[in-house]
Amino acid sequence: MPGKLKAKIVAGRHLPVMDRASDLTDAFVEVKFGNTTFKTDVFPKSLNPQWNSEWFKFEVDDEDLQDEPLQITVLDHDTYSANDAIGKVYIDIDPLLSCEAATVISGWLPIYDTIHGIRGEINVLVKVDLFNDLNRFRQSSCGVKFFCTTSIPRCYRVALVHGFVEELVVNEDPEYQWIDRIRTPRASNEARQRLISLMSGELQRKIGLKVLEMGGNAVVGYLQCFDLEGESGLVVRAIGTACTLDKLSPGTDSKEPVFSEDPPHSLSGPPTPLRTLPSSSPPPFSPSKPCSRQSSSSDTDLSLTPRIGKTSPASSPSPPLSAPFLIPTQKLTEFPIFTLTCFPPGFLVHVGGVVSTRSVKLLDRIHNPDEPETRDAWWEEIRQEIKSHAKALGCHAVVGYSESTSICEEVCILSASGTAAMLNPRFMREGCLDTGGSDHRLSRQPHPGMVGSERGEGEVSSTWLGFEDASPPSCGFVHIPYDEFNMPFPAQLTYCYHCRRQKVPDVLFTTIDLPAEAEVTGKGCLIQARLCRTKKKAQGEVNATSISNLLPFMEYELHTQLMNKLKLRSMNALFGLRIQISVGENMLLGLASATGVYLSALPAPGGIQIAGKTPSDLSYDQHISTMQKRIDDTIAKNKELYNIHPPECIEEVVGSPIPDRQRSSRLFRSTSESSDELSELDLSHGKKDAFVLEIDDTDAVEDIQSLLTDAPIPAGFYSCNTEVMPGIHNWTSGLQMFTSVRVYRLSNANLTNQGLNKIFTDLCENLLKSLYFKLRSMIPCCLCHLNFTVAVPEEELIQVRGHTYLSTPLLLWSGENEEQLQFSMELCGESTISNNQPTAKPSAPSVDYGSFADRCSTWLELLRLKAHTIRRGSVKTISSSERCSPLPEGRSRSLRSTRSLPCGAPVTVVKMTPLSFLPGTRIVKYLGIINMFFIRETTSLREEGGVSGFLHSFIAEVFAMVRAHVAALGGNALVSYSMKECVFMENPNKNQAQCLINVSGDAVIFIRESDQEAIPPLLTSRQTSSTGADGTT
Amino acid sequence: MSVELDVFVGNTTIMDEEVYQFWLDGYTVNDAVKVRMEGGVLEECEASAEVLRSDTMDQYRTFQMCERLLHSPAKLANQLLFQIPPHRQAMLIERYYTFDGVFVREVLGKKLSKGTKKDLDDVSAKTGVTLKSCRRQFDNFKRVFKVVEELKGPLVENIRQHFLLSDKLARDYAAIVFFANNRFETGKKKLHYLTFQDFAFCAGQLIIVHCNHSRVLMRPALIGKEFLQDLKELKILITDKDLLDQHKSLVCTALRGKTKAFNEMEANFKNLSRGLVNIAAKLTNTKDVRDFFIDLVEKFIEPCRSDKWTAGDMRLYLTHYTNSAHILDTFKHQVVWDRYMGVIKSCILKMYHD
């Protein structure tokens, strides 16, 4: 069924000079979609051309609409020779295909060239008329919403969670095709950009199809990755969680105070009314239909693997859940995995611990791109393994799931990790089949006391939890899901410090965010374990084997480091754990980051004791005792720093069935080699006492060194890698997102493991120190979602051996920024201090502070908002007189972003954040996913300021393009931003460098909570925009 | 181990004002790091020299990338590459166009040409302003000059709108442009005691009062075509013996007993009056315009100074000197006289110091 895509080229500005003689440009534009191309007239001799073209109309299949980007090329007309390309703009029209997202793309977009970077801007208008297709066998999936956010998006509530969706598309990499030898770098880069854009469109469409079949209408936690496998091809893969989301109408949510409260609470998807009563609809979850495999791609068909389907939960009956509420195994086997990291209260019943799997594979050429079975089989294998690990932990689901790869030459490490958990099946219950109408109707029904109100929530969850132990929800999730007498690994259990009824482990590692209901003592902090291991340079099978032999040891050591650092900060749980292992030619790098917290429900951690093996020596003893003292001091200092003063409790250690007190671990992993051999590893330390470090072995020395070399965070700074900082509630709305990339060259080829470790640790520490220094003017501030990535790029071009690159892109977010917030910061200085203390009182004072800070926002901000309102207001009049006005469109956005004054209007400020929300603001609309891929190449590296200059400007350009696209969709922020790929290659001898960047996020409109009056104009503008659309069609 | 690449990019571009100033002042990264270290930032934040260096490099790169935009400040507001809050943009622009008083004093009135630019290293050595900074300032002058040269309308307003500068800075630039255009001589030894602000004030007087009526805004209106003849007519004040005597007696009557320097004033009146009126007449010749300030100093200010006039004496004298001309019944050029003397008076008063 066709849709009609319409595009209009309005104007250009700041174009580069293409004709040296006149210092001007004769620009025209080609608009291409699929195989159809339109051209504008040439606008002679201007750097700010006004084309004001007609509407170019493309009649296309909606399938193509999803796959293809709209391609706009700006060229310089040349009478005698070929026209020179100035640059291109790719526009992903996917956001226009969902009725709830954006309705038009309009605004100034940077014209991008892969060799020259941004070269001016172009003002375009793009619209889509879509005729909805109800054909069951259709190939398109328009209307399915995609969110990068790994929680239920604000302004939606979840009706049902359907489960895991995945898809994978492969193709040959144009960079490695024979034709690349004869075409220009520009052509090759553009072919690549276009291909990846096509592939991600296709991928999204196919995932959408799966979601529709499952009866869902959205994908949350959509994670798309590229594997640049070099010679063997290009893989684009994506995972996500299919959901049915109901939109909260803007009217209700603006009046609903609950919704606008403290961010962590607002993600509560209120329960689906009626259906939630357990008695009304007893057990059977009718299994949703198996996924279709009409598409030529990769359906991992899990239902074809009955051996797992039939396996009952590993260690006999999982006790706490009464039988009817177990999610039927059949459904589970299909989708036991969730990419979400943040859940509505009551969703998580218990958390088992981290499950992770790594597998080393040898890449071979993908022979038939239409049958990407190998890659699919690999991932399927990994997911199965993850699932079985979860089962071993007595859990029926995996949450906070993510997948990643690290590729070096032909070796590839596939990794997956998640958190084993028991979920509340309420959100996954039957009902996914009777889609659309009825469901919609039900959720629209006003339900007194239920819709988002705290009270209703509590009611429901207590009815729910009443079936098990009526354990208070604030500690329920830490209770062990596995059987006490049949534990999958040795652990030390105690009764929960909160409810005193259920057993809890002594430490808990998870990949999810801290649940909103969790009670935390003190503040959290970023904990990192870093590790570097050399390996021999090798080829093929040998290389793969040596890597897979190293992996278990690396994981073990990372785990030990994490555990020690956790103890050193006297904390007992890790959230947001992310372990990244990257492979290079002659080394492996491991970096684990997590946010440590002290969960009040878990027992207090013991100290760290150092033991020497030869106690006879006096000086040796002294050495040990000084070390011990230093450690004890550090622990005491950290307790003070993170405000951890747990109420003294009577230690009642429940006799663990395992006789020895052993180091417990929640980390479960295995390594499977290409030979499919599966090896599991026991992480327990054998028969040693829990936290004794033996100083004799070199590893321990190393550990202690790394423990003590962790530089303290400067005063006023907090950092974590989760969305919100545990224990801090006083957010201001100022935020700043950064990306920092560093590449180091190792000068010494023959380094020992210890030497490398030291260097690696120093690098990470230095990077953090740099950040603290740069942001010193913003304190007190918190670096949230601090995300480190390491890579050891391949080195074919660089002669010196042993050069290692470590690039560390990281995103961070800080609590405050900019001058305009200085004011509120000063005012809040006192309250910050007072807020830092309330260990005893739980998180009550949080809301006050936020609103206080908001009220204090300076005149500047107010002024800006005023101006905004006025501008929006004026839209109305213009759009009503639209027909007679020479202006082509009466849209608010096009007005805002210039139009009649080609160079006058200010640029919309677009905020970017890796978080899923903006503190102090409310997201009123999701406009669609932004997923962009850019390549930049230069052949004049030195002239562009060397590698740093080159990358600096490229990242700035990428940010600019992302902001421009968000603004063109009508948004003012990008949430859940992430830079998934940042591949940098250089050849200084040839003066060349190339860089690839992939960024993604959700474009949104937010408003500040303090000014509700901003809503009406917004709504009217939305209305007028729709009438405007009607008028011009 | 060495850092090969080190980049830090924020969504909102953050800039350290202190580092910006170092950059503007033409410090190298190393020098800037040194100064910052001495400034004590390190102790504040427990950072290492390495951190400081990396930060400085980052900032320098950012400024370099911004520099292109700063050349046409209007672009800074609607470019997409850097997200900079408006008040920061204003700061960036204002600081970029701020110049050193010592430097501008050296090039004031010189032709903004390549030749002058080549001599900047001498200027740099003489003033202690780094060559890099000298070049930036010189290029700024040149850029502003080029833009306003082609524009119609009031000079100061044009500069302010095109370069988004503050009123004060726009006025200073107007003065610089004005001096460059008319090539006023400012480098003579006798003029060394005058600061840039003295000249800027005079330029302001010359521009404001007269240019409102003039089409050719970059030239002092005293040279405006309709004015040329009128100024020549003033000569009658010194060529007509009767008029000169009459004028003198009027002034002396008014001044008598009011100042200690009366005797000197009386003795010098004819010389001084000749000097002032000759300057007016000389202005009609475009080539002689550039000697305006040197004439003013030689013919008027220096004689008065050697007679130890106070600033009050000067004011008194000039007031009566101007007003008395109105009483002369044969003198018909009152309007031109007022206008001319208004400017000259305020210029002299500003320039009359040590």
Side-chain angles (χ1 to χ4, degrees), chain A residues 566-577:
Chain A
L566 190 66
K567 298 285 174 207
L568 199 68
R569 288 167 177 78
S570 58
M571 293 175 180
N572 57 18
L574 285 182
F575 287 91
L577 176 64

Side-chain angles (χ1 to χ4, degrees), chain A residues 13-14 108 110 121 736-745 747 759 763 766 770-771 773-774 776 778 805 818-819 903 905 907 909-912 947-949 951-953 955-957 959-960 963 984 986, chain B residues 1-14 16-18 36 41-42 44-48 50-52 54-56 58-59 61-62 65 74-75 77-83 85-88:
Chain A
R13 67 178 182 192
H14 306 159
W108 288 103
E121 290 124 38
Q736 167 69 292
M737 187 275 299
F738 308 104
T739 293
S740 179
V741 181
R742 283 192 180 188
V743 175
Y744 296 90
R745 182 186 294 271
S747 48
I759 288 172
L763 301 187
N766 272 341
S770 265
L771 293 180
F773 180 75
K774 276 189 191 293
R776 66 194 184 284
M778 298 175 183
Y805 282 61
E818 297 173 9
E819 234 69 313
C903 292
V907 180
V909 172
V910 175
K911 302 211 170 195
M912 287 164 74
V947 281
S948 296
L951 195 63
H952 195 135
S953 57
I955 294 177
E957 282 171 351
F959 284 179
R963 283 194 301 261
F984 181 76
E986 62 156 334
Chain B
M1 184 193 73
S2 61
V3 178
E4 188 96 324
L5 187 160
D6 182 0
V7 166
F8 176 94
V9 190
N11 181 34
T12 305
T13 309
I14 43 169
D16 187 318
E17 290 188 32
E18 188 196 16
R36 288 183 87 187
V41 231
L42 284 184
E44 265 173 55
C45 325
E46 307 154 21
S48 65
E50 214 178 307
V51 167
L52 203 57
S54 130
D55 178 57
T56 314
D58 253 328
Q59 306 257 5
R61 256 198 318 270
T62 312
M65 284 194 264
K75 268 192 192 164
N78 62 13
Q79 51 84 32
L80 302 175
L81 193 56
F82 299 102
Q83 189 160 281
H87 64 287
R88 286 247 132 179

Side-chain angles (χ1 to χ4, degrees), chain A residues 703-715:
Chain A
D703 280 346
I704 290 166
Q705 231 158 32
S706 64
L707 277 180
L708 295 172
T709 49
D710 257 11
I713 303 181

Side-chain angles (χ1 to χ4, degrees), chain A residues 223-237:
Chain A
L223 174 74
Q224 184 188 296
C225 296
F226 300 96
D227 296 333
L228 301 168
E229 295 184 354
E231 291 280 325
S232 57
L234 187 67
V235 177
V236 186
R237 59 195 160 77

Side-chain angles (χ1 to χ4, degrees), chain A residues 281-565:
Chain A
S281 59
F285 302 92
S286 76
S288 67
K289 290 187 293 182
C291 295
S292 80
R293 70 211 36 240
Q294 53 203 351
S295 53
S296 62
S297 65
S298 64
D299 282 308
T300 28
D301 186 16
L302 294 158
S303 61
L304 276 187
T305 51
R307 65 192 161 93
I308 290 129
K310 296 292 175 254
T311 328
S312 56
S315 44
S316 75
S318 40
L321 271 190
S322 47
F325 299 101
L326 272 179
I327 301 173
T329 29
Q330 205 179 357
K331 185 174 168 111
L332 259 191
T333 44
E334 265 185 53
F335 318 108
I337 293 173
F338 301 87
T339 53
L340 300 178
T341 58
C342 249
F343 304 93
F347 188 93
L348 270 183
V349 181
H350 299 305
V351 171
V354 168
V355 285
S356 83
T357 299
R358 283 179 214 284
S359 158
V360 183
K361 300 288 186 194
L362 274 178
L363 299 172
D364 51 347
R365 187 169 276 280
I366 298 167
H367 294 293
N368 183 2
D370 289 337
E371 297 291 332
E373 272 156 356
T374 350
R375 302 293 184 280
D376 239 355
W378 290 353
W379 286 111
E380 189 191 333
E381 197 176 275
I382 280 181
R383 288 170 198 140
Q384 293 290 6
E385 219 169 293
I386 283 281
K387 198 167 56 182
S388 64
H389 290 334
K391 276 213 184 94
L393 285 172
C395 295
H396 61 218
V398 175
V399 294
Y401 179 74
S402 64
E403 294 174 348
S404 63
T405 56
S406 168
I407 298 171
C408 178
E409 311 261 293
E410 78 265 85
V411 176
C412 171
I413 303 182
L414 310 181
S415 323
S417 69
T419 305
M422 299 285 284
L423 299 183
N424 188 334
R426 165 160 60 97
F427 293 91
M428 278 159 285
R429 60 187 316 120
E430 198 265 335
C432 45
L433 288 180
D434 58 341
T435 43
S438 66
D439 218 53
H440 226 61
R441 189 171 42 77
L442 280 174
S443 51
R444 282 280 159 82
Q445 272 180 4
H447 226 263
M450 283 283 229
V451 188
S453 90
E454 285 289 336
R455 195 171 51 83
E457 205 86 63
E459 240 171 54
V460 175
S461 50
S462 64
T463 19
W464 230 97
L465 296 162
F467 278 88
E468 23 178 302
D469 219 16
S471 54
S474 76
C475 66
F477 79 98
V478 298
H479 299 162
I480 52 164
Y482 36 85
D483 182 7
E484 189 185 333
F485 299 103
N486 192 7
M487 284 201 294
F489 49 81
Q492 195 178 332
L493 299 181
T494 47
Y495 278 113
C496 174
Y497 275 53
H498 192 268
C499 66
R500 302 256 159 224
R501 278 186 228 174
Q502 297 272 321
K503 297 277 173 61
V504 293
D506 54 349
V507 274
L508 185 66
F509 284 16
T510 70
T511 57
I512 55 171
D513 271 1
L514 184 71
E517 67 264 28
E519 252 179 54
V520 172
T521 305
K523 286 190 278 289
C525 76
L526 180 77
I527 293 182
Q528 271 197 331
R530 302 127 183 168
L531 191 68
C532 205
R533 282 286 168 268
T534 51
K535 77 171 182 63
K536 287 232 165 61
K537 229 179 167 162
Q539 295 292 314
E541 200 89 25
V542 189
N543 195 15
T545 318
S546 68
I547 290 172
S548 49
N549 286 342
L550 267 173
L551 281 180
F553 296 100
M554 291 192 65
E555 292 233 30
Y556 171 79
E557 270 179 52
L558 284 173
H559 179 263
T560 314
Q561 261 190 47
L562 280 177
M563 189 64 93
N564 287 338
K565 290 193 178 177

Side-chain angles (χ1 to χ4, degrees), chain A residues 114-135:
Chain A
T114 57
I115 306 291
H116 294 104
I118 291 179
R119 305 174 97 189
E121 290 124 38
I122 187 169
N123 196 344
V124 293
L125 274 165
V126 182
K127 287 182 180 181
V128 171
D129 288 335
L130 198 64
F131 313 106
N132 246 338
D133 187 2
L134 297 173
N135 181 359

